[in-house]
Amino acid sequence: MTPVALSVVLEWLSKSGLVEDGSLECGGVENRNLECRDLVCRENFLLTGFAALDKANESDVTFWLADTCKSETNANGFPAEALRSVKAGLLFVPKECAASTSAASSAFATSAAPGVKCVVPVKNPYHAMVEFLKEFGENTSGLVSGCAASAEVHPSAVIEGFVGENTFVGPNCVVMRGARIGANCRLEANVTIYPNVEVGEGCIFQAGAVIGSRGFGFYEYEGRRLMVPHVAGVRIGCRSSFGANMVVAAGFVSPTTIGNDCHFDSFVQIAHNCVLGNNIFMASQSGIAGTVTVEDDVEFAGGAQSAGHLTIGKGARIAAKAGVTKNVPAGRTVAGFPAVEIDQWRRSVVNLRLMAKK
């Protein structure tokens, strides 16, 4: 995002309908001091980014759902104890947590979130974060575009971002504004790289691969299901390969991340907010839902799937057509649906066949 002063964000919030009327009456915005009703904001400073609660720094915007709001997947959020270690510039919290008096807000910020510079009570923190991203999330400064002198680009390709040394870009590829492709990469025909995607060196993208598109995420607000803007992009390490027609979706407030030496077959789906380590292999038509952590050296066989908000431990193997619904410990091999240890699954299959013969 383009850096923006806290005072500008607070002024926007006061007119947005996201907070109760009059709860953001601030003075002194032209100076470093801010005097705001019902807020703990003692200075004006630049907000330079956004991130998930556990990844935010002192100039980031983030949000906390507590127990009064649910994410689009109804997954549990961070407990209140986690706020004590949070470092953030601006934190949206449910208004029930930081009550509608300045004393209550001050007490909440001091005791529950001492590392946060500005705590803003809102009706719905998730919706407030979405609206903030719509207003301020786009990065309009410091973007580099063009191609290195040694890059080979087909005449039909569209390059609005940056392409590094010795990289090949094939027919009808699109590298959008804000994307960056490292050296010695290869983009075959019809590859699409969305904004805010960063690719390391030596990666290969087969025909039709799509990297950084919006994820399939929705949330409920005032009786309606609204789309989640996945604007945090994708970060990819080095020497990874991406099969034909596979998709890597962008993250919401933190990027979808893929490490080094990962290899994906055709029609693989990596959903929004996933974090993949190094040396991961996923065969054709396998996929992982949103916010899954896949540790190093994991293998997915053909058609294997994982539900969202899970962790697949280091060295785990997911057998063909398995459906993972719970965390998989490191080194475990699972099969079936719902996925269980493969020996247990084999015994259950044998028992079913024996029962069928009776």
Side-chain angles (χ1 to χ4, degrees), residues 38-40 93 95-112 119 121:
D38 301 346
L39 293 183
V40 180
V93 300
K95 63 180 181 180
E96 293 82 1
C97 295
S100 58
T101 67
S102 58
S105 293
S106 179
F108 173 84
T110 302
S111 61
V119 175

Side-chain angles (χ1 to χ4, degrees), residues 91-225:
L91 174 66
F92 295 118
V93 300
K95 63 180 181 180
E96 293 82 1
C97 295
S100 58
T101 67
S102 58
S105 293
S106 179
F108 173 84
T110 302
S111 61
V116 177
K117 293 182 179 180
C118 186
V119 175
V120 180
V122 294
K123 300 173 185 177
N124 185 313
Y126 197 98
H127 182 65
M129 191 72 201
V130 168
E131 293 300 306
F132 170 84
L133 292 176
K134 289 179 180 178
E135 185 72 18
F136 300 105
E138 182 180 0
N139 184 13
T140 59
S141 63
L143 299 180
V144 178
S145 61
C147 299
S150 59
E152 181 182 350
V153 179
H154 192 275
S156 64
V158 177
I159 307 298
E160 297 174 340
F162 179 79
V163 175
E165 297 282 351
N166 300 310
T167 287
F168 171 81
V169 182
N172 300 310
C173 290
V174 178
V175 179
M176 296 186 187
R177 183 172 180 263
R180 187 178 185 91
I181 310 299
N184 301 307
C185 291
R186 184 175 183 85
L187 281 63
E188 298 179 359
N190 300 302
V191 173
T192 302
I193 309 294
Y194 276 75
N196 201 14
V197 172
E198 296 182 9
V199 179
E201 298 184 0
C203 292
I204 299 172
F205 300 86
Q206 293 184 8
V210 177
I211 312 297
S213 56
R214 191 187 74 83
F216 190 72
F218 299 84
Y219 70 103
E220 293 189 5
Y221 182 71
E222 296 184 346
R224 300 173 57 203
R225 282 196 172 186

Side-chain angles (χ1 to χ4, degrees), residues 59-339:
S59 61
D60 282 339
V61 178
T62 188
F63 68 102
W64 180 58
L65 296 177
D67 296 324
T68 61
C69 306
K70 294 290 185 180
S71 71
E72 79 273 19
T73 58
N74 289 318
N76 293 327
F78 294 92
E81 294 77 16
L83 290 178
R84 296 193 60 82
S85 61
V86 170
K87 303 291 185 182
L90 187 152
L91 174 66
F92 295 118
V93 300
K95 63 180 181 180
E96 293 82 1
C97 295
S100 58
T101 67
S102 58
S105 293
S106 179
F108 173 84
T110 302
S111 61
V116 177
K117 293 182 179 180
C118 186
V119 175
V120 180
V122 294
K123 300 173 185 177
N124 185 313
Y126 197 98
H127 182 65
M129 191 72 201
V130 168
E131 293 300 306
F132 170 84
L133 292 176
K134 289 179 180 178
E135 185 72 18
F136 300 105
E138 182 180 0
N139 184 13
T140 59
S141 63
L143 299 180
V144 178
S145 61
C147 299
S150 59
E152 181 182 350
V153 179
H154 192 275
S156 64
V158 177
I159 307 298
E160 297 174 340
F162 179 79
V163 175
E165 297 282 351
N166 300 310
T167 287
F168 171 81
V169 182
N172 300 310
C173 290
V174 178
V175 179
M176 296 186 187
R177 183 172 180 263
R180 187 178 185 91
I181 310 299
N184 301 307
C185 291
R186 184 175 183 85
L187 281 63
E188 298 179 359
N190 300 302
V191 173
T192 302
I193 309 294
Y194 276 75
N196 201 14
V197 172
E198 296 182 9
V199 179
E201 298 184 0
C203 292
I204 299 172
F205 300 86
Q206 293 184 8
V210 177
I211 312 297
S213 56
R214 191 187 74 83
F216 190 72
F218 299 84
Y219 70 103
E220 293 189 5
Y221 182 71
E222 296 184 346
R224 300 173 57 203
R225 282 196 172 186
L226 306 176
M227 286 186 177
V228 177
H230 295 105
V231 296
V234 176
R235 302 292 181 268
I236 296 172
C238 299
R239 302 176 303 278
S240 293
S241 64
F242 299 80
N245 297 311
M246 77 161 289
V247 176
V248 180
F252 171 37
V253 291
S254 293
T256 301
T257 304
I258 297 172
N260 301 322
D261 303 298
C262 296
H263 300 280
F264 307 97
D265 200 355
S266 60
F267 296 100
V268 170
Q269 166 77 24
I270 308 296
H272 55 276
N273 304 333
C274 289
V275 177
L276 281 67
N278 303 313
N279 197 41
I280 292 166
F281 291 76
M282 296 182 66
S284 183
Q285 300 183 46
S286 60
I288 52 178
T291 320
V292 170
T293 298
V294 182
E295 297 180 350
D296 294 350
D297 306 318
V298 168
E299 297 180 8
F300 275 69
Q305 307 288 328
S306 172
H309 297 269
L310 300 178
T311 296
I312 313 298
K314 177 179 172 63
R317 293 184 177 185
I318 316 301
K321 297 292 185 180
V324 178
T325 60
K326 297 180 179 179
N327 294 337
V328 178
R332 192 73 54 84
T333 299
V334 298
F337 179 81

